[in-house]
Amino acid sequence: MQRFKINSIISKIAREKHLNQGKTKKPLWFWIILGLGVFVFIASLVVFLFLVFLIRDLPNVNDFTKLNFAQSTLILDRQGNELYSVHGEENRKVIALQEVSENLVQATLAIEDNQFFEHKGFDLKGIMRAAWTNFTNSGVRSGGSTITQQFIKNTFLTREKTYIRKLKELILAVQLENSFSKEKILEMYINSIPYGSNAYGVESASQTYFAKKAQDLSLAESVVLAALPQAPSYYSPYGQHRFSELNLVLDTDKLKKMHFENEADLLARYPNAVKRGLLGKMITLNSENSIYLRGRADFVLLRMLELGYISDEEKQKAWENLQTIEFRSAKTNIKAPHFVMYVKEELEKKYGKEVIERGGLRVYTTLNPRLQEIAEKELKKQAEWNESKYNANNAALVSIEPKTGQILAMVGSRDYWDDANDGNVNVTLSKRLPGSSFKPISYAAAFLKGYSPATVVFDLETNFGKTYQPKNYDGKYRGPVTVRYAIGNSLNIPAVKLGMLAGIESVYDLAKAMGVDFDREADWYGGALPLGVGEAKPIEMLQAYSVFANNGKKIPFSPFLRVEDAEGNILEAWSQPKGENVLDAQVAYLMTNVLSDAKSRGYGWNKYLQLNGRVNAAKTGTSNKKENEQTLPFDAWTIGFTPQIATAVWVGNNDGSVLKWNASGLMCAGPIWKNYMEEALDGIAEEKFERPKGIKWVKIAKLSGLLPTKWTPDELIVSDIFAEINMPKKYDTTLKVVEIDKVSGKLPTEFTPKGAIEKRAVMNFHALRPYDINWEKPVQEWVKKSAKDYLQKLGVKDILAVIPTEYDDVHTANSALEKPKLEILSPVAFGAVSPPKIGVVTKISSEIGIQKVEFYWDGSLYETVYKYPWRGNLQVSSALEMGSEHEIKVKVYDRVYNTETSTIQVRISGDKEPPHTEIVFPKDQASFEAGSLLVVKTFSYDTKSDIKKVEFYLDDKKVGESIKAPYDYSVI
């Protein structure tokens, strides 16, 4: 049959050849076959030559002198002093496989390579799976390595992640499998791999962590060691990830309804809810629900059970032992341990754990040894006091240089080696509640919306809806206060109000832009967000505050100055970051100005927030929670900065337990912050905060922060700084002008004389959100109850607290008829007067009493007299034309501003006229009693002559004389 097919093909070819006789063109299939043949030949030749080249350069797996042994990575401070050797000379002791606990061998096989005794050096399925992962993720990420391959990679090859190195690894793995037994390969592997903490090889690891030989390891201890090689620094029992942790904050009410039975239920609902650690941990979600979060060790144990290495009983017993497992103290020769572990983790993210543990890097960090020593000393000293005084057994500090973002000091806990209190946990990198230290971020968002440090907000008990009714830390309410004062005195009500006015989403977005990484979306926190109810790491809060210090620029933090490889090549070197502008520069400066305003805080705050002899910004924070029907503090903060150094301090308990009632950010964290900052800045010249262009000082009305009006009293006009974005353009509306009766202090009526009506400024306070009854009602209640006392404290006398509601009851229809009586006695109407002194004598009477008398000359007020005998003395010009006529008007006011007016015409006397004498009282034919005052009017028309004397006669008998004005005489 096959021959028939072949003959048929040959016959077909012959026929086609006959038909195409005389043609030279070859058929298409001919060229295709020829091309494929050439391609296969060339490809085979290339592959052959490549393999020859590759194999030629491969090391000899039988020559152990060529092994790529690890080199120590050194972590140094900024001055080159050694902080830590990642492994120094490898702490390694080679032992035979028979000297290793069977538990550890099985645990290692279970988690690393359960097909080890079946494959020939590589796992084809694993390689294909890894290849697909790498392809879909655009790069070499997954290796699919067997134990044999891992040994080759760790000893004979470099750590580079390339397909060439992977191919070399496969070839050498096959060679190794052909050269050594499986047992020998496994023995070499467990004697070479890193377990962290300088421990290389299983014997060293066993001694380091459990102080026992590898052959004596229990099942629980074995699964712990088997879990480490995947990421020794990350899973270190002495590091940040000893236990698995919840990776988000869950709503208790929702949890009660969902009721998670186990971790699987939780992850089904929240896939990223667990941050996996070395060991598992039981966590309480609410009073009715607790679940166990597995650690990597738990997965090793479960894998052993699946593979049949252990029974259910053995697994259960080992799990119970894992819950109480104890590690040997890791107190080694290490400086700044929290910082070192932080640096190690950052290095692993950049270069991979293999490079860090074996690559011989020299890492020059930003750590300032002097500042680190000060930080550790001050923290330890105050922590002892805090424990006895406030029940706070832990503290943390992180300090940076704002302009560069370089980390200068980091102390993650009171004592790194205090296992009982999780001292190895770096709290500067842990989520805690920032409390009031978050407020400046919220207020900055409000500044962006046009509000300012001078904006007046009412600090009054307010219901913000859904029963949310926060209180101030001292339970007091202060009425109208400026934002500047509210920040300086850490008031809660104004913070919530300004946060809502800015928009909670805006506050949330600004905080994220400045460096705070929230666990929840903005609406979950609601109106309470400005009070610091969103968890944040101290280093994140410090990053946010550094934005204020840098006038709105966010400069990322870095612990690295320079990283060199084993040959001295520079892998990376610090350079000044450009940073990212995340906040308006002027707004950032406004907040810095407020946070550095010692006067707005007062001495009680300045005791620990004000540095001696220099300007600095600072803010405290205290988080509280209810316990046994009592609200108590549990997280205490102080964050502050100068242009040169910014520092965040946290005080509390790692387990979140409450502190004593009198604990606070000021009293617990404040002393650490101040003492550290003053020592750190010792010898450094003071530097002022850089003021950006556009910042201006503006005179404003103290009661509103807006432009003053003509009614704003001088004592209520102050100055404050503004950015262009919130420069006041509107005029003060807190004062309303009304007409008031001067006498009664009530609203005028139709009977109120015009002279009794005056315009007065009245307080016209409203909430910043006047349309919201929950905001406006407390303000109006305060105005009625407290506005008068408030004005008295301000020292303002001319402003009414409230608009009167009653009407004038002093001036009535009857009182309008009771006008005062007025008569001008001298000069007489149409009489002559002689400048410059013109006396005016009146006769006035009133049952109510006279308040004042006004004297006018030609319509202009010349004199006002307030006492009896109600005489005027008009000083007029001597240059008035002789004989010219003029008007004298007298206006009298009684005690209730009823008035009467009398007017006469007079003329200026001419020269050489005889003196004029006129008897004013008594009148002709009138009767009078002995001793009565005789009133006369006497003057000379001749301006060049004076009156020498006036003689008085009774029945032609001279009874007396007067030689000086007003020439009156009492009849004898």
Side-chain angles (χ1 to χ4, degrees), residues 273-319:
V274 180
K275 181 182 290 185
R276 199 70 66 189
L278 175 65
L279 301 174
K281 187 177 183 180
M282 183 70 71
I283 62 165
T284 300
L285 299 176
N286 54 58
S287 59
E288 302 174 354
N289 195 196
S290 297
I291 61 173
Y292 181 74
L293 303 182
R294 295 172 179 171
R296 178 162 168 80
D298 291 301
F299 288 103
V300 177
L301 196 61
L302 288 173
R303 187 62 176 147
M304 292 182 71
L305 179 65
E306 292 171 359
L307 295 171
Y309 292 151
I310 57 175
S311 64
D312 285 327
E313 293 77 13
E314 289 173 319
K315 179 259 180 186
Q316 182 62 29
K317 183 178 179 181
W319 182 85

Side-chain angles (χ1 to χ4, degrees), residues 382 385-392 473 605 608 621-624 630-636 651 658-671:
Q382 183 65 27
W385 168 259
N386 285 341
E387 184 171 19
S388 61
K389 182 74 174 179
Y390 303 112
N391 193 38
Y473 65 94
W605 295 94
Y608 294 125
T622 308
S623 294
N624 302 284
Q630 186 178 9
T631 301
L632 296 170
F634 67 97
D635 276 327
V651 169
V658 295
L659 314 181
K660 290 184 179 178
W661 66 271
N662 56 343
S664 67
L666 180 68
M667 301 307 294
C668 295

Side-chain angles (χ1 to χ4, degrees), residues 188-459:
M188 291 188 292
Y189 172 77
I190 63 174
N191 277 297
S192 65
I193 58 174
Y195 287 88
S197 300
N198 288 7
Y200 276 75
V202 67
E203 181 69 11
S204 176
S206 182
Q207 293 288 349
T208 297
Y209 297 119
F210 302 114
K212 61 171 61 175
K213 294 181 179 181
Q215 63 186 5
D216 298 326
L217 290 170
S218 68
L219 178 55
E221 293 165 342
S222 295
V223 297
V224 167
L225 290 189
L228 289 172
Q230 185 188 63
S233 294
Y234 182 89
Y235 289 119
S236 171
Y238 311 125
Q240 188 84 355
H241 309 292
R242 180 172 180 173
F243 295 101
S244 293
E245 298 288 348
L246 203 60
N247 199 33
L248 76 166
V249 179
L250 295 172
D251 189 308
T252 302
D253 292 333
K254 290 182 179 179
L255 286 173
K256 285 183 178 180
K257 296 177 182 178
M258 295 181 194
H259 192 82
F260 298 121
E261 292 292 339
N262 49 44
E263 181 189 87
D265 287 351
L266 174 66
L267 293 176
R269 176 66 174 172
Y270 302 103
N272 300 315
V274 180
K275 181 182 290 185
R276 199 70 66 189
L278 175 65
L279 301 174
K281 187 177 183 180
M282 183 70 71
I283 62 165
T284 300
L285 299 176
N286 54 58
S287 59
E288 302 174 354
N289 195 196
S290 297
I291 61 173
Y292 181 74
L293 303 182
R294 295 172 179 171
R296 178 162 168 80
D298 291 301
F299 288 103
V300 177
L301 196 61
L302 288 173
R303 187 62 176 147
M304 292 182 71
L305 179 65
E306 292 171 359
L307 295 171
Y309 292 151
I310 57 175
S311 64
D312 285 327
E313 293 77 13
E314 289 173 319
K315 179 259 180 186
Q316 182 62 29
K317 183 178 179 181
W319 182 85
E320 292 172 358
N321 290 337
L322 283 175
Q323 311 314 303
T324 57
I325 195 166
E326 294 183 0
F327 296 92
R328 184 183 186 185
S329 173
K331 211 163 190 177
T332 59
N333 185 23
I334 178 173
K335 298 177 182 178
H338 290 102
F339 177 75
V340 165
M341 295 305 168
Y342 165 66
V343 168
K344 279 184 63 180
E345 205 165 314
E346 292 299 305
L347 286 169
E348 287 187 6
K349 291 177 184 177
K350 288 187 174 186
Y351 302 105
K353 66 182 180 66
E354 294 91 348
V355 174
I356 306 309
E357 292 169 351
R358 305 174 60 84
L361 304 183
R362 291 183 70 84
V363 182
Y364 292 86
T365 69
T366 58
L367 193 80
N368 185 309
R370 184 179 75 87
L371 270 56
Q372 179 69 19
E373 183 179 352
I374 295 170
E376 291 176 356
K377 178 192 68 173
E378 292 300 332
L379 190 142
K380 183 177 181 181
K381 180 177 67 175
Q382 183 65 27
E384 293 174 354
W385 168 259
N386 285 341
E387 184 171 19
S388 61
K389 182 74 174 179
Y390 303 112
N391 193 38
N393 61 30
N394 201 11
L397 177 152
V398 58
S399 184
I400 60 101
E401 186 176 37
K403 295 175 183 177
T404 64
Q406 294 181 6
I407 299 174
L408 304 176
M410 178 184 283
V411 186
S413 73
R414 174 181 175 180
D415 182 3
Y416 181 86
W417 311 108
D418 183 6
D419 293 338
N421 291 300
D422 293 331
N424 58 313
V425 174
N426 188 345
V427 182
T428 70
L429 306 177
S430 302
K431 293 281 191 179
R432 311 298 296 196
L433 287 178
S436 293
S437 66
F438 185 84
K439 289 175 182 175
I441 302 174
S442 179
Y443 279 113
F447 290 173
L448 291 171
K449 296 295 178 69
Y451 299 96
S452 74
T455 295
V456 174
V457 57
F458 272 87
D459 177 35

